[in-house]
């Protein structure tokens, strides 16, 4: 297990390229299950992440071969008889649930381990199963598995609204089930996140007929079969946002290439409100900061609102705000694992229900902290970059699930981050 040793207080400058989106690439890879054996799907710009490896492994078990050459992943359907997503893979990565829709859609059966809760909350999948059941599948739960069977799927109206808004992977799952259903489906209260749009665009490139992409009402005219496609994964808006936070918190000047400011309007606006100078072009964002931040209240919301996946990183910035900030988490009310760890670095944060009240401090100090989930880890790295002295961020394997060689790319901007093997204390990778 690795840790990061971060020498804080260094100003980040330069240009970094955002990688392809993890949360788009994962369901796009799962869409390969919809192919007939012999067909292939080529995805370009797939980030090198442990979650992507996990999805490749799962697809391998489901008869799809995944081959990577650089950032291009080619998926070939080989055998369409296997329908089980086993516990030992699903427990490693909740996004494994994305195979449920395409399995039912193409193979008319699925046995997918029920994903458990995780540190960011309970995370049920009732909307996924209800949506797929509405298309005609019989769904039951057996010994920790979701078991689905359908002689045929029929286009219907499916409502995907839940207590916390719509569901991103749930919408992707229902879409992937509906594209091969008989007749027309109407998915109401669909999630509108760019990653969902990317999946829908991919499905259309494979021969599906989806209308209303990007809106909360998707109309899916079922087709008999899909074919292969060759597409580019959209840039990762959360990775780009994390670099924005890293640049801002160090009073830096960083340009993020290969990014989509049009997917990041809420994030850019919040940084600007905090007094960070942000310039944008079609596919780049430049952040210039003097290291002083106005407090900006934030409520996380479904897209196009402020993303929950940027809440922790923005909180790291607000720990240095000139006043009080209230951050309200409306998607995952318990997603505050970073609060106590930021406190170890001198941040003043009080948690009340689904809110965190942050009293800005003049400076943070280096400390040993523990990463608990992907975005919490990112926020600790952001805070450590700004802190006086040295921080150790333990358990960065969480970070490796969603950020492709983050330490190298931060170091290229002037940071000093070492990756160290925890057990032996030996330096195994990135030298500074
Ligand atoms: N929800 C339900 N029932 C469901 C599904 C979701 O009540 O059947 C609730 C959830 O508990 C949550 C809300 O609805 O309160 C939204 O959850 P959603 O289903 O949209 O989340 P997800 O699809 O499981 C994806 C991302 C997450 C991201 C969320 C919200 C992927 C692989 N994961 O999860 O990404 O936080 O959408 O935007 O796309 C991350 O990358 O760090 C990450 C956690």
């Amino acid at each position: 297990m690795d840790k990061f040793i971060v020498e804080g207080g260094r100003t980040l400058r330069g240009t970094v390229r955002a990688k392809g989106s993890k949360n788009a690439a994962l369901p796009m890879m799962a869409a390969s299950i919809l192919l007939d054996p012999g067909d292939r799907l080529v995805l370009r710009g797939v980030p090198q992440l442990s979650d992507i490896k996990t999805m490749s492994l799962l697809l391998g078990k489901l008869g799809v071969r995944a081959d990577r050459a650089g950032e291009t992943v080619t998926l070939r359907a080989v055998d369409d008889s296997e329908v089980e997503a086993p516990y030992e893979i699903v427990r490693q990565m909740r996004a494994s649930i994305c195979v449920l829709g395409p399995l039912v859609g193409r193979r008319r059966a699925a046995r997918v381990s029920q994903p458990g809760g995780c540190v960011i909350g309970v995370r049920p999948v009732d909307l996924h199963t209800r949506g797929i059941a509405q298309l005609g599948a019989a769904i039951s739960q057996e010994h920790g598995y979701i078991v689905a069977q359908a002689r045929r799927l029929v286009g219907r109206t499916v409502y995907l609204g839940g207590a916390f808004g719509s569901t991103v992977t749930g919408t992707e799952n229902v879409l992937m089930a509906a594209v091969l259903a008989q007749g027309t489906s109407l998915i109401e209260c669909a999630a509108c996140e760019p990653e969902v749009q990317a999946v829908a665009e991919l499905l259309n490139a494979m021969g599906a007929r989806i209308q209303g992409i990007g809106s909360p009402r998707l109309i899916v005219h079922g087709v008999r079969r899909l074919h292969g496609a060759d597409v580019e994964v959209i840039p990762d808006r959360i990775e780009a946002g994390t670099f924005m936070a890293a640049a801002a918190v160090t009073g830096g000047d960083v340009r993020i290439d290969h990014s989509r400011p049009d997917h990041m309007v809420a994030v850019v606006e919040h940084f600007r409100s905090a007094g960070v100078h942000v310039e944008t072009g079609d596919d780049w964002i430049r952040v210039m900061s003097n290291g002083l931040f106005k407090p900006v209240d934030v409520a996380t919301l479904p897209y196009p609102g402020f993303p929950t996946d940027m809440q922790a990183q923005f909180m790291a910035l607000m720990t240095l705000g000139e006043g009080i900030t209230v951050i309200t988490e409306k998607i995952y009310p318990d997603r505050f694992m970073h609060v106590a760890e930021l406190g170890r670095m001198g941040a003043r944060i009080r948690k009340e229900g689904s809110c965190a009240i942050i009293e800005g401090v003049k400076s943070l100090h280096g400390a040993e902290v523990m990463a608990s989930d992907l975005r919490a880890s990112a926020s600790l790295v952001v805070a450590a970059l700004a802190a006086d002295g040295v921080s150790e961020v333990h358990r960065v394997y969480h970070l490796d699930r969603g950020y492709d060689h983050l330490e190298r790319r931060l170091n290229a901007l002037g940071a000093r981050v070492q990756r160290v093997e925890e057990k032996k204390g030996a330096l195994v990778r990135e030298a500074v």
Side-chain angles (χ1 to χ4, degrees), residues 215-406:
S215 81
R217 174 180 288 176
L218 296 170
I219 300 159
V220 188
H221 304 288
V223 296
R224 291 180 77 85
R225 65 175 296 267
L226 299 182
H227 50 71
D230 184 335
V231 302
E232 185 86 31
V233 176
I234 55 169
D236 196 316
R237 62 195 170 106
I238 305 302
E239 197 196 63
T242 304
F243 280 116
M244 288 176 72
V249 84
T250 63
D253 179 353
V254 170
R255 178 174 151 132
I256 304 142
D257 281 344
H258 187 244
S259 48
R260 287 281 300 264
D262 57 323
H263 290 167
M264 300 176 63
V265 172
V267 171
V268 167
E269 278 313 304
H270 280 76
F271 274 84
R272 284 185 176 144
S273 303
V276 177
H277 185 77
V278 184
E279 288 175 9
T280 60
D282 282 349
D283 62 353
W284 57 267
I285 298 172
R286 183 172 173 190
V287 172
M288 285 169 275
S289 154
N290 59 9
L292 301 173
F293 312 110
K294 288 182 227 146
V296 184
D297 291 349
V298 183
T300 62
L301 291 170
Y303 187 81
F306 191 93
T308 172
D309 292 344
M310 272 300 296
Q311 180 255 107
Q313 302 89 310
F314 196 76
M315 186 185 293
L317 194 69
M318 289 296 100
T319 62
L320 294 168
E322 296 168 326
I324 306 250
T325 305
V326 179
I327 295 187
T328 309
E329 179 50 71
K330 296 207 167 185
I331 309 292
Y332 297 116
D334 297 323
R335 194 177 201 176
F336 287 115
M337 301 303 286
H338 40 290
V339 164
E341 299 302 301
L342 289 170
R344 293 176 58 77
M345 301 172 89
R348 286 206 197 121
I349 309 171
R350 189 158 48 88
K351 197 180 141 311
E352 268 191 25
S354 59
C355 293
I357 298 140
I358 301 140
E359 190 189 325
V361 292
K362 288 237 162 352
S363 63
L364 297 173
H365 47 77
E368 287 197 47
V369 290
M370 184 79 81
S372 55
D373 72 84
L374 172 54
R375 309 303 170 187
S377 315
S379 86
L380 297 178
V381 172
V382 168
L385 290 170
D388 297 334
V390 175
S391 297
E392 291 192 16
V393 183
H394 296 278
R395 295 196 176 186
V396 294
Y397 66 87
H398 290 293
L399 205 70
D400 294 333
R401 295 185 51 194
Y403 295 89
D404 189 341
H405 296 101
L406 184 65

Side-chain angles (χ1 to χ4, degrees), residues 22-24 26-27 51 93-98 118 120-130 160 162-172 191 193 195 237-238 301-303 307-309 330-333 335 373-375 402-403:
K22 163 184 84 84
N23 288 348
L26 291 171
D51 272 8
M93 183 182 72
R94 285 187 53 88
S96 305
I97 190 71
C98 291
C118 68
I120 71 174
V122 186
R123 304 188 74 183
V125 289
D126 55 310
L127 297 170
H128 301 230
T129 50
R130 202 181 67 199
L160 284 183
F164 299 96
S166 189
T167 163
V168 172
T169 48
T171 303
E172 293 159 354
E193 271 69 4
E195 295 76 18
R237 62 195 170 106
I238 305 302
L301 291 170
Y303 187 81
T308 172
D309 292 344
K330 296 207 167 185
I331 309 292
Y332 297 116
R335 194 177 201 176
D373 72 84
L374 172 54
R375 309 303 170 187
Y403 295 89

